[in-house]
Amino acid sequence: PPCYDSQNRFNEKCIAFDSGNETKYRGWLHIVTTTYNALGDVKQIYNASFTRDWDKSNLGFLWEIHQSWWLTPMAVNRNTIKEMSPPTRGAGMQFNGTQFLEMLPTFQSNWPPIDHGKGCNYVQVDFSSSIKLMQKSFITEVRRHALEDASIGLFHLRRADTTTICDTSIDKLREYLHCSLGGIVRGLRSNITLVMTSDDKDSGYRNEVMALADELGHVTMIDGDDIARRVVAEAAETGLIAKAMVNNFVTFAVEAVLRDPREDKTNQLIDFRFTRRRKHCPDCEPGAKQVL
């Protein structure tokens, strides 16, 4: 159902989890964020995370965000969490009655870099077990669709807000692929499979991009987004995840094994990466330079 009416009132039928009646989640902290001011909800989770003894409890928390996260104070101001009052019990914050301010929790962010003299990270950002299982299924499907004994590469095209900055037209991509993968590329196997991902939903454009591989006899291209969406949908059908989690955010998380070398280091799926986006848009990338 629509989550908001004409007067911006939230429809509670949109709530995905029932922590009161579902045995699996009974007793869990359940937060439903429905306004742009998510700071109060974040404080509840923040305090619960540092005061609850998770090792002695099988309880967790459910956090549903039914608004655009990027418009919340948490996304707009990256210092929000650092400015919050510390919880009453923080890991390692107090020893023998002495408080060590330099050990207060701090917001973990890639940018701007954390000043490590002013705080410590007490968490390791990681995917949930369900995401990891879907990633394994995704990897299996990618390998099943790839050419036998092929080098597998990511081919990511950012389109939504960069078409005037980075040329991703079919003609330009044809030149780019012929230059980057034409002939035998040192460091790669004779067969190459490209896993295409893109924010462009135009099926006509995507099919034209996929067809470019036919012009290079040793290259095939598969639609990584389509494979990931099917993996997520199957996970919902089998009960691995709630049906409310069939969305672009979960699909994006599953595809992290393509984008992030840290996520791929165990599976060793991707041999090289080609991307065309705002900050990376060369006319040619000889494949040998991209071999990982």
Side-chain angles (χ1 to χ4, degrees):
C3 289
Y4 291 88
D5 62 17
S6 58
Q7 296 181 345
N8 203 34
R9 291 175 300 196
F10 181 70
N11 184 348
E12 293 192 357
K13 291 183 179 180
C14 288
I15 296 177
F17 297 95
D18 185 352
S19 56
N21 296 318
E22 293 183 34
T23 303
K24 181 178 180 180
Y25 303 115
R26 187 171 297 154
W28 285 34
L29 174 64
H30 188 188
I31 302 294
V32 180
T33 298
T34 61
T35 65
Y36 287 138
N37 184 17
L39 186 55
D41 294 341
V42 172
K43 284 182 178 179
Q44 288 191 62
I45 295 174
Y46 176 79
N47 285 315
S49 297
F50 281 94
T51 57
R52 182 175 295 181
D53 192 341
W54 299 102
D55 291 337
K56 297 180 181 179
S57 171
N58 60 356
L59 303 179
F61 66 82
L62 299 167
W63 188 10
E64 298 184 38
I65 302 174
H66 292 274
Q67 273 288 11
S68 174
W69 175 256
W70 303 110
L71 296 178
T72 66
M74 311 310 301
V76 174
N77 181 7
R78 293 182 178 275
N79 291 317
T80 302
I81 293 182
K82 288 165 62 175
E83 294 167 357
M84 294 191 330
S85 299
T88 55
R89 183 182 73 83
M93 285 164 47
Q94 202 165 18
F95 294 100
N96 298 325
T98 302
Q99 188 177 38
F100 292 84
L101 296 179
E102 69 273 11
M103 298 184 71
L104 292 176
T106 185
F107 178 45
Q108 178 153 332
S109 173
N110 292 329
W111 189 261
I114 293 173
D115 185 344
H116 291 285
K118 296 183 179 179
C120 301
N121 293 324
Y122 286 99
V123 297
Q124 179 178 353
V125 178
D126 200 359
F127 290 114
S128 66
S129 58
S130 58
I131 292 290
K132 289 182 177 180
L133 286 173
M134 287 186 284
Q135 287 176 336
K136 288 184 178 180
S137 297
F138 176 65
I139 290 168
T140 298
E141 286 300 297
V142 168
R143 286 185 170 139
R144 187 170 71 84
H145 286 81
L147 289 173
E148 186 177 356
D149 195 32
S151 290
I152 300 176
L154 170 65
F155 187 36
H156 178 68
L157 305 173
R158 174 78 178 189
R159 294 269 294 171
D161 56 355
T162 61
T163 52
T164 60
I165 300 172
C166 181
D167 187 354
T168 49
S169 65
I170 298 301
D171 288 339
K172 185 62 180 180
L173 294 181
R174 177 179 288 108
E175 295 176 6
Y176 171 83
L177 289 175
H178 277 265
C179 177
S180 301
L181 293 177
I184 298 176
V185 180
R186 182 172 55 84
L188 297 180
R189 301 182 182 93
S190 57
N191 290 329
I192 294 174
T193 293
L194 294 175
V195 184
M196 190 265 288
T197 63
S198 176
D199 57 348
D200 197 313
K201 296 179 173 59
D202 184 337
S203 58
Y205 172 80
R206 297 178 73 97
N207 289 335
E208 286 189 74
V209 172
M210 303 268 288
L212 292 175
D214 296 337
E215 301 176 13
L216 298 165
H218 61 302
V219 179
T220 61
M221 197 180 306
I222 58 179
D223 191 328
D225 296 322
D226 182 61
I227 295 174
R229 282 192 293 268
R230 284 190 276 112
V231 166
V232 173
E234 183 178 349
E237 289 298 322
T238 58
L240 176 63
I241 60 174
K243 291 185 178 180
M245 292 179 66
V246 180
N247 55 50
N248 289 336
F249 294 103
V250 175
T251 301
F252 187 78
V254 170
E255 292 180 352
V257 292
L258 300 176
R259 300 183 306 272
D260 192 338
R262 292 169 298 181
E263 299 299 332
D264 184 49
K265 63 183 179 181
T266 301
N267 305 296
Q268 298 181 340
L269 173 68
I270 298 300
D271 296 304
F272 63 98
R273 293 179 176 86
F274 286 160
T275 60
R276 291 186 67 78
R277 56 189 308 151
R278 184 189 300 271
K279 295 182 180 180
H280 187 84
C281 192
D283 291 330
C284 180
E285 294 182 277
K289 292 184 179 180
Q290 297 299 313
V291 175
L292 304 177

